[in-house]
Amino acid sequence: MLAKVRSVAVFGIEAYLLDIEVYIAKGDMPYIAIVGLPDTAVKESRDRVKAAVNNSGYRFPYKPMTINLAPADRKKEGPVFELPIAVGILIATNQIEVPDIQTYAIVGELSLDGKLRPVKGCLSMAFKCKESGIKKFLVPAENAPEAAVVDGLDTIPVETLTETVGILTGSIPSVPYKIKLSEVFKESSGYDADFADVKGQEHVKRALTVAVSGNHNVIMVGPPGAGKTMLAQRIPTIMPLLTLEEALGTTKIYSILGLLGSKQSLVSARPFRAPHHTISTAGLIGGGSFPRPGEISLSHNGVLFLDELPEFDRKTLEVLRQPLETGSVTISRALNSVTYPANFMLICAMNPCPCGYYTDKRRECHCTPHQIQSYMSKVSGPLLDRMDIQVEVPAVRYNELVADREVQSSANIRKKVMVACEMQKERFKDQPTGTNAHMSSRQVKKYCVMDKDTEALLYQAMTELGFSARGHSKILKVGRTIADLDESEHIKIEHISEAIQYRSLDRGLWK
C-alpha cells in the first residue's frame, strides 16, 4: 500500500512543502528505509515512530517499508516529520481512512508514548501553508500560538498521535486556535527599563536620541562605571514600536531557533542582544553544517550591543562590515547558500585603555602610551569608520547622582524620535531606503542640501581632521537626522557642527 501525507520543512528562514510517501511492500523481511537526503535525526525517527504507534494502541507493520521525503534533492533535518510519517503508516496499513488528507499539512515530533513535542520554525511553515492554499495545519499544541498568527489558515493544535488520528478521521472535532494580534502586542511590547533611571550623561542621551532617530551605529568610550551598559540597555525603549511586518520578520528568526516561549505568539518588543566577547564568528554571524542564524540576525529590527569591544576577536569583528552595509548576511556552503536578515542598530562600548581610567580626571591611569595604543588599535579603522556616532561617556559626578531634578523619560524621548522617523517615512515612501543611515550616495546628494557657510564648515573639518570619504558621508547622514529632529527641511550649520562632534572622538583617542 502507498500513502501520501503533506508536511512542511524550513530552509533558512523560509519554509517549503514536501510530500511524505510511505510504501509498504509484501514480504517477511521487515526493514525501514528512509530516503530523500535525511540527516541522522530523521533516520532515528523510525524508532520513535515505531514506539509511538504501538504505545498509542495501533499496530506497527513488520513489513518492508520505504519512506520517501520529496523533493529528494534537499537535505532534511530534525524530528519535524515524525507525526506525518506515523499518520502515513496508519493510512498505508488501512488502520485509518482519511479521504481529504491532502487538505492538511502536518508537523510534529513524537515521544515514545505518542505525545507530541514542539518543533522549530512553525511560523514560517504556517506562512508557506497559506501561500500554497492549504486550509488546515496540524501542529503540536505548544506551537499553536505562533502558527495562529497567520490569518486565513486553520491552525489545529494536537497533543498526541491518538488525538491527531481522531481529528483526521472526524471522530474528534477540530477546533482552530485563535489569537488577537492587538492583544498580543499590548501584552508584550512594554519595557521595564527607562531613560529616567539614568542620572546625568545628558549629552550621551542626546547622541543616542540622534542615533535612534536615523538608525545610526554608535560607539561609546568611557571609564568603568560611567553608565555605558545602562544607557545601551535603554535604547530599545526610545525606538519606534515594532510594526506587524517587523514583528513577523523577527519572530521567524526566533521561531526557527526554538527561542519562542510555549505561550508566545510574537516577538513584539524590539530585540536587545548582548553577546559575550568570547563569542565565535559563527555564533555572531551564523553558520554550521546546517546554517543557523547568529546574534546579528537575532538582533534584526533591534539592537546588537557589543560591550568591551576590544576584547572581541578581531576577525570576528571584521565580518560585521558587510551586514552593517547591506542589512543581511549570506552564509555559503558547498551545497547551498542561505541569506538571513540582519538589519540591526550596532551599539559598542569600550574603555579608553586597559585599566579603563585614561580619560577619567578623578582616577590615575597606570597604562603606558604603548599599552594604550595597542589597546585602542584592536578596533580596526574600517570598522571604526562605520560608526556613525562616536561619543565619550565621562564618569558621573556625585552632585549629578544625587540631584533631584526632572529627567526625561523614554516616552518623552520617543516622541521626539517619532517626529524624525515620520519625516524619513515620508521622504523615502516610494524607495527601498527606510532611514537616513541607509541612504545611498544619490540620496545623500538629493536630501542633504546645505548652504555655502555650512559647506565651508564641513570642508574645513574634512581638511583639518582628515575624515575619509565614508566619514564625510556619515557626517551628512547624521546631520540630516539632526535636522529632522528640528523639523528642518535643510541642513543648517548647527546641524553639521553637532554631526562633526560625533565623528571627532577617534581623532583624540585613536591617534
Side-chain angles (χ1 to χ4, degrees):
M1 289 290 293
L2 175 65
K4 291 184 180 180
V5 180
R6 308 199 83 177
S7 188
V8 201
V10 174
F11 180 74
I13 64 169
E14 301 301 330
Y16 63 95
L17 289 178
L18 73 159
D19 289 323
I20 296 180
E21 302 171 331
V22 179
Y23 173 67
I24 300 177
K26 296 179 180 179
D28 298 326
M29 185 70 72
Y31 71 87
I32 304 173
I34 301 180
V35 297
L37 291 182
D39 73 343
T40 302
V42 178
K43 292 178 180 178
E44 290 176 349
S45 295
R46 71 186 82 182
D47 299 314
R48 287 189 291 269
V49 169
K50 178 179 177 181
V53 168
N54 288 329
N55 290 328
S56 297
Y58 302 101
R59 174 179 50 82
F60 191 87
Y62 290 90
K63 299 282 186 180
M65 184 187 307
T66 302
I67 300 171
N68 180 39
L69 310 179
D73 59 345
R74 281 191 168 184
K75 190 81 172 176
K76 318 299 188 309
E77 60 169 327
V80 65
F81 312 114
E82 293 175 3
L83 181 59
I85 288 175
V87 171
I89 291 173
L90 296 180
I91 294 175
T93 54
N94 295 319
Q95 297 184 66
I96 62 173
E97 292 185 6
V98 189
D100 60 344
I101 188 63
Q102 292 302 304
T103 64
Y104 291 88
I106 307 173
V107 296
E109 176 186 351
L110 285 169
S111 60
L112 299 184
D113 59 358
K115 293 181 180 179
L116 287 174
R117 294 192 175 100
V119 296
K120 300 176 182 178
C122 255
L123 180 59
S124 297
M125 295 176 185
F127 273 108
K128 186 61 181 180
C129 289
K130 179 183 178 181
E131 179 187 320
S132 304
I134 292 175
K135 301 298 182 183
K136 300 175 183 178
F137 187 31
L138 284 173
V139 300
E142 289 187 38
N143 292 123
E146 60 175 293
V149 168
V150 180
D151 192 25
L153 175 70
D154 286 345
T155 298
I156 303 171
V158 288
E159 295 185 353
T160 64
L161 173 59
T162 303
E163 183 183 359
T164 304
V165 171
I167 290 173
L168 292 174
T169 57
S171 61
I172 298 177
S174 61
V175 181
Y177 191 95
K178 300 293 183 182
I179 63 169
K180 292 183 178 179
L181 286 178
S182 58
E183 294 182 0
V184 171
F185 269 94
K186 188 176 181 180
E187 290 174 0
S188 56
S189 59
Y191 298 94
D192 294 331
D194 196 287
F195 261 99
D197 304 330
V198 183
K199 300 290 186 179
Q201 307 295 13
E202 296 303 321
H203 73 291
V204 184
K205 294 178 185 178
R206 167 65 179 179
L208 295 179
T209 301
V210 173
V212 171
S213 299
N215 199 33
H216 301 287
N217 302 317
V218 180
I219 183 169
M220 296 182 286
V221 183
K228 302 185 292 295
T229 302
M230 190 177 186
L231 287 160
Q233 290 171 341
R234 282 152 180 77
I235 289 175
T237 67
I238 64 173
M239 299 177 77
L241 297 177
L242 276 177
T243 64
L244 177 59
E245 183 180 358
E246 289 175 331
L248 290 172
T250 303
T251 306
K252 279 185 177 181
I253 299 170
Y254 280 72
S255 175
I256 64 174
L257 289 175
L259 297 180
L260 288 179
S262 59
K263 301 296 183 181
Q264 188 176 6
S265 299
L266 281 175
V267 176
S268 54
R270 293 196 179 271
F272 179 85
R273 304 292 297 184
H276 193 261
H277 58 77
T278 56
I279 191 171
S280 65
T281 301
L284 185 64
I285 302 300
S289 55
F290 286 102
R292 289 285 184 271
E295 288 290 336
I296 64 171
S297 295
L298 289 170
S299 307
H300 182 55
N301 293 321
V303 175
L304 176 65
F305 178 49
L306 302 183
D307 200 5
E308 305 296 343
L309 186 65
E311 302 301 329
F312 284 79
D313 183 76
R314 182 160 182 161
K315 292 181 179 179
T316 300
L317 291 178
E318 293 307 303
V319 295
L320 285 173
R321 293 195 211 170
Q322 182 252 344
L324 285 174
E325 297 290 338
T326 63
S328 62
V329 59
T330 300
I331 302 171
S332 298
R333 295 292 180 265
L335 298 177
N336 52 52
S337 179
V338 181
T339 298
Y340 291 113
N343 183 20
F344 59 93
M345 182 177 173
L346 178 62
I347 307 296
C348 300
M350 62 179 290
N351 297 327
C353 67
C355 78
Y357 299 107
Y358 176 51
T359 59
D360 193 344
K361 297 179 180 179
R362 301 176 305 173
R363 301 284 296 271
E364 182 180 357
C365 173
H366 299 284
C367 304
T368 65
H370 176 70
Q371 288 175 324
I372 297 173
Q373 184 180 12
S374 298
Y375 184 78
M376 301 302 287
S377 64
K378 291 181 180 180
V379 182
S380 70
L383 180 61
L384 183 65
D385 224 19
R386 286 170 169 80
M387 297 295 173
D388 303 23
I389 293 177
Q390 305 156 2
V391 61
E392 186 174 2
V393 185
V396 182
R397 298 178 180 177
Y398 177 76
N399 58 352
E400 292 178 325
L401 283 174
V402 299
D404 189 19
R405 62 180 180 181
E406 186 177 352
V407 181
Q408 284 195 89
S409 66
S410 292
N412 291 332
I413 298 175
R414 180 184 280 164
K415 291 178 182 178
K416 299 178 182 179
V417 169
M418 289 305 300
V419 171
C421 290
E422 288 299 322
M423 291 188 68
Q424 293 168 67
K425 187 176 180 180
E426 179 64 24
R427 179 181 301 132
F428 304 121
K429 61 181 178 181
D430 298 323
Q431 305 172 53
T433 303
T435 59
N436 290 334
H438 296 130
M439 283 192 290
S440 65
S441 55
R442 285 186 179 183
Q443 290 171 325
V444 169
K445 186 176 181 180
K446 180 178 179 180
Y447 298 119
C448 299
V449 180
M450 300 177 291
D451 57 29
K452 290 185 178 180
D453 290 339
T454 307
E455 286 185 356
L457 174 64
L458 182 56
Y459 171 78
Q460 183 180 3
M462 290 290 296
T463 303
E464 295 183 3
L465 298 178
F467 292 125
S468 66
R470 181 181 283 112
H472 174 265
S473 176
K474 297 292 187 184
I475 291 172
L476 289 176
K477 292 177 181 179
V478 173
R480 177 68 268 170
T481 300
I482 298 171
D484 289 343
L485 283 169
D486 287 346
E487 301 183 59
S488 172
E489 187 66 26
H490 300 287
I491 300 177
K492 300 177 182 179
I493 193 167
E494 58 265 28
H495 302 147
I496 285 295
S497 178
E498 183 178 351
I500 291 172
Q501 292 179 24
Y502 295 143
R503 293 292 301 180
S504 59
L505 180 61
D506 62 319
R507 305 302 145 188
L509 290 175
W510 270 267
K511 293 189 177 181

